[in-house]
Amino acid sequence: MKKLSYKKLNFRYLLVALLVLVTMGYLTSCRSIGQSEKTISLDDIDTDVSGLVYAQLTYAPEVPKPISYRSPKRVKVELTTEEKVMKLTDGTSYTFWTFNGHVPGPFIRVRQGDLIDFTLRNSSASKHAHSIDMHAVTGPGGGAIATQTAPGQFSHFEFRAMRSGLYIYHCATAPVPLHIANGMYGLILVEPPEGMPEVDREYYLLQSEFYTKGDFGAKGLQSFDRDKAIDEEPDYVVFNGYVNSTTGKNALEAQVGETVRLYVGNAGPSLISSFHPVGQIFSNVYQEGGTLINHNVQTTAIPVGGAVIAEMKMLVPETIHLIDHSIFRAYRKGATAEIEVVGDENPKIYSSK
Amino acid sequence: MNKLLLNMILMFFPVIILSQGRAIAQKVEMRRVSSGVYEPFFKNENLKKIQVDAFLLGETAVTNADYLAFVKANPEWRRSNVSSLLADKNYLKHWESDLKIGNDELYNAPVVYVSWFAARAYCEWQGGRLPTTAEWEFAAEGAPLGEQIENLTKFAMKWNAEPRPDILPAVKSTYQNEYGLYDMNGLIWEWTFDFNNIVQSAKGKNGVTRVEFTCGAGALDVSNPDDYPAYLRYGLRSSLKGNYCISTLGFRCAAHLKK
């Protein structure tokens, strides 16, 4: 009798265990579908690169054309660091430290599996040493160890683009926070082997902060304020390097019916962005610039030193304000960009009297 | 305060070193930097404090005019003769030719586009040497005389934030410090004898190189994480090689005190 009940109990345990196993199997299989790693295969790494291309570089808000080749190439990329005075807002300038004389630096577009043949030049007019840490690099310091470059000199390293995604790059010479706060950053897109799905328009936006001696709008040449930076209290939070870089006559353009893809980075140095399109909803968001796609997103978080790819279909004519929804940054510090959407009204979607 | 007073008195008695029987007797005003302790900016377990003995340091950086005398006396250091192992292609590139500076405004400006090898040779020709990094840093900490510079770090930071002017200002155009030295901040970078002896990276426990200097973690090992000018000086030094000739990098000479 006793023996029988033990057996029954045992059977019950078995059933429960089976159920747990099945559930676990189901869950893990779901996971592997939802989070396919899309890493490069060892075969690809061993494949000799066939041919040499020069990466096409563009400046915000422009994005290079999609990659047309479908096997790994040696891709030459050359950036130059320059220190130069540029506009922060009307009547206010700042000595920016830059890649290629632009803030943000150029947009670099490569394909997963490519071998990037990277040269960093430091202008001979520079006072300071500079370098680059590319988050797309698997290797020491993201390239920073190999690229500490004195004024007038150059450095070189090669890396394999191992994983697709949208990545920040930035200077990593001591003191790193100062080099980033002065404008040394940009984006590199590593396309998946099959390429990015086709869209009508692509744009490059990058959010960053500036900490200046004078408050927002104070006239003249402003210099870096270390105390404000340490307190993480910027005077400026901007897209693409200066106030109103991407508004009014500089607004991005789109037409009703088009799908627009935004490549958005956040270089900080300190503030996480709550990136939101006023009057729109992102249909697709590649979270943190990786391969996980979320849909129907009102506001997406962009970590500092991170990025997102966000897409939306234009349905009605409107001016879409792209803002950091930490709203004082948008209203008082400059964190606004715009997309001007033109085309026919569609009362089924929106009408007003 | 006593030290400051003593230095102020001493600085009115500049030591003049005459190069011994060389082609051109260059007169270099040397100032005495009193002994003290330098706390290295990048600390390391074996080296927390460095004793700096009293030494002599050039009152100003070496000027283009000074350097012209050197290349006149030493043909192997003329632009067209110098070995690329000792000075890269940018050597004296701001001069018109081998023995002609070409722009009067440059005469009293500090010489730049000179390599470490060239700077060392110049100082040896003068009967001196390059200062060590500890000596240079210790001397640069000297308090500014007068009232116009309230905070040396802020003053240095202001210079760091300005783009390099096409023509560098003359020596003695910034400030003089308690040792009588001019322009220790705010004019140029300066070569030191052991410029490349910096802990940029260290071996981790498994022998893998750790990034200590470049990434944020480096802030944990420095004597003052808010001293951005020091970071920038060490950042520049760590990027250098001995034959580099750079637009904002010059030097001044040091000498041992006669005992």
Side-chain angles (χ1 to χ4, degrees):
Chain A
M1 197 65 179
K2 220 177 179 184
K3 219 176 177 180
L4 193 69
S5 73
Y6 178 71
K7 259 190 179 167
K8 257 187 184 168
L9 204 65
N10 217 1
F11 183 66
R12 206 174 277 170
Y13 273 131
L14 263 170
L15 253 175
V16 171
L18 200 68
L19 204 68
V20 167
L21 266 171
V22 167
T23 317
M24 272 177 66
Y26 178 70
L27 281 176
T28 45
S29 74
C30 266
R31 254 172 115 177
S32 61
I33 291 165
Q35 300 183 341
S36 69
E37 265 201 288
K38 289 194 175 174
T39 186
I40 188 170
S41 77
L42 282 169
D43 290 345
D44 273 350
I45 298 169
D46 291 338
T47 303
D48 283 336
V49 291
S50 53
L52 170 74
V53 293
Y54 289 82
Q56 185 199 341
L57 304 178
T58 61
Y59 298 99
E62 302 300 324
V63 173
K65 290 188 177 63
I67 302 286
S68 54
Y69 52 87
R70 285 289 169 260
S71 65
K73 300 269 185 221
R74 171 179 286 268
V75 182
K76 272 195 182 285
V77 179
E78 186 173 309
L79 301 186
T80 302
T81 55
E82 295 173 35
E83 300 156 9
K84 76 191 253 199
V85 175
M86 295 191 291
K87 180 173 99 166
L88 188 49
T89 187
D90 290 332
T92 306
S93 55
Y94 187 85
T95 308
F96 293 90
W97 297 357
T98 73
F99 288 99
N100 284 18
H102 289 257
V103 177
F107 193 106
I108 304 165
R109 188 164 191 156
V110 300
R111 180 186 173 276
Q112 180 175 297
D114 283 347
L115 185 66
I116 318 303
D117 175 332
F118 188 89
T119 301
L120 185 71
R121 294 186 183 280
N122 188 355
S123 162
S124 63
S126 291
K127 267 186 183 170
H128 302 281
H130 297 296
S131 61
I132 196 163
D133 169 354
M134 302 185 105
H135 291 185
V137 171
T138 306
I145 301 300
T147 56
Q148 297 298 321
T149 311
Q153 304 293 331
F154 72 94
S155 57
H156 179 259
F157 73 105
E158 291 181 0
F159 71 96
R160 185 74 73 156
M162 295 294 287
R163 290 175 182 272
S164 67
L166 183 61
Y167 299 92
I168 284 274
Y169 64 81
H170 60 84
C171 179
T173 295
V176 180
L178 178 65
H179 285 260
I180 295 177
N182 281 347
M184 301 194 76
Y185 36 70
L187 286 178
I188 175 169
L189 172 67
V190 180
E191 283 196 16
E194 69 277 14
M196 295 294 290
E198 203 177 311
V199 290
D200 299 298
R201 293 172 190 265
E202 294 185 317
Y203 289 117
Y204 170 18
L205 286 174
L206 189 143
Q207 180 175 327
S208 62
E209 304 122 43
F210 291 92
Y211 301 82
T212 52
K213 293 274 188 250
D215 290 339
F216 181 89
K219 300 295 179 202
L221 179 63
Q222 293 294 319
S223 57
F224 171 73
D225 188 304
R226 199 199 61 208
D227 295 335
K228 287 178 181 175
I230 290 170
D231 291 342
E232 303 184 3
E233 289 175 358
D235 300 283
Y236 297 86
V237 182
V238 296
F239 289 106
N240 292 351
Y242 63 97
V243 177
N244 293 330
S245 69
T246 320
T247 63
K249 65 176 172 45
N250 299 325
L252 308 178
E253 294 172 359
Q255 291 180 2
V256 169
E258 288 181 334
T259 299
V260 172
R261 176 182 292 143
L262 303 173
Y263 295 100
V264 193
N266 183 5
S270 293
L271 304 182
I272 293 171
S273 175
S274 302
F275 187 64
H276 169 71
V278 178
Q280 253 285 10
I281 300 154
F282 292 127
S283 48
N284 297 324
V285 171
Y286 294 65
Q287 293 190 357
E288 291 144 15
T291 52
L292 181 63
I293 300 177
N294 196 4
H295 304 288
N296 304 351
V297 177
Q298 60 187 305
T299 300
T300 186
I302 317 178
V304 174
V308 299
I309 303 169
E311 296 167 356
M312 50 192 161
K313 179 153 187 174
M314 302 305 161
L315 298 174
V316 296
E318 60 177 327
T319 298
I320 300 167
H321 297 269
L322 301 164
I323 63 168
D324 182 340
H325 213 299
S326 290
I327 201 76
F328 284 102
R329 300 175 193 167
Y331 271 74
R332 295 296 297 275
K333 299 182 175 185
T336 301
E338 290 172 357
I339 306 178
E340 201 73 51
V341 185
V342 297
D344 293 335
E345 300 279 354
N346 186 342
K348 284 186 198 163
I349 296 172
Y350 180 84
S351 65
S352 66
K353 284 175 182 165
Chain B
M1 201 60 212
N2 276 344
K3 187 180 143 217
L4 185 66
L5 267 176
L6 182 70
N7 282 324
M8 285 177 72
I9 294 162
L10 280 171
M11 59 170 272
F12 290 108
F13 300 95
V15 185
I16 293 171
I17 292 187
L18 291 166
S19 63
Q20 304 115 6
R22 313 230 178 206
I24 300 159
Q26 281 284 298
K27 211 167 65 173
V28 180
E29 306 244 328
M30 303 293 279
R31 301 287 185 174
R32 183 182 185 275
V33 179
S34 50
S35 66
V37 173
Y38 171 63
E39 190 186 347
F41 186 63
F42 286 94
K43 291 178 177 175
N44 104 32
E45 283 156 27
N46 308 319
L47 201 58
K48 293 206 162 61
K49 287 186 158 78
I50 298 175
Q51 173 67 38
V52 176
D53 293 335
F55 69 107
L56 298 174
L57 189 58
E59 182 184 64
T60 67
V62 172
T63 64
N64 284 297
D66 295 335
Y67 202 79
L68 180 61
F70 170 66
V71 296
K72 279 181 176 166
N74 299 277
E76 72 274 24
W77 285 106
R78 289 174 195 173
R79 197 166 69 184
S80 55
N81 293 344
V82 75
S83 155
S84 63
L85 295 175
L86 302 179
D88 72 17
K89 61 178 171 30
N90 293 324
Y91 181 64
L92 296 178
K93 76 180 235 182
H94 58 313
W95 285 16
E96 194 176 307
S97 63
D98 266 13
L99 296 176
K100 197 168 177 199
I101 296 171
N103 181 341
D104 291 349
E105 285 182 73
L106 288 174
Y107 272 73
N108 288 320
V111 67
V112 289
Y113 290 116
V114 283
S115 67
W116 177 87
F117 293 104
R120 190 183 62 166
Y122 178 98
C123 291
E124 284 172 2
W125 177 68
Q126 289 283 309
R129 60 181 175 82
L130 284 170
T132 65
T133 303
E135 286 173 336
W136 193 96
E137 290 283 333
F138 179 77
E141 285 172 0
L145 299 177
E147 307 282 304
Q148 75 270 37
I149 295 174
E150 221 171 274
N151 179 316
L152 195 50
T153 306
K154 283 186 176 161
F155 174 79
M157 225 20 238
K158 188 168 169 291
W159 179 76
N160 279 308
E162 293 162 356
R164 180 195 187 278
D166 288 339
I167 303 277
L168 290 173
V171 296
K172 298 191 182 181
S173 62
T174 64
Y175 73 100
Q176 191 177 25
N177 77 9
E178 61 179 291
Y179 306 113
L181 305 168
Y182 287 92
D183 316 313
M184 290 301 284
N185 285 284
L187 187 62
I188 51 166
W189 309 111
E190 297 184 13
W191 283 108
T192 58
F193 181 74
D194 52 346
F195 69 91
N196 54 0
N197 186 19
I198 305 163
V199 184
Q200 155 124 17
S201 58
K203 295 288 179 193
K205 58 183 174 181
N206 296 318
V208 175
T209 303
R210 290 173 56 211
V211 189
E212 296 214 329
F213 181 60
T214 47
C215 75
L220 302 176
D221 297 328
V222 302
S223 58
N224 177 6
D226 290 338
D227 190 350
Y228 281 13
Y231 263 120
L232 291 165
R233 282 196 300 278
Y234 279 94
L236 184 90
R237 284 181 195 134
S238 75
S239 74
L240 299 175
K241 288 181 183 160
N243 69 335
Y244 283 6
C245 300
I246 290 174
S247 59
T248 318
L249 179 60
F251 67 101
R252 71 181 73 206
C253 301
H256 293 294
L257 268 177
K258 297 235 162 51
K259 295 203 171 159

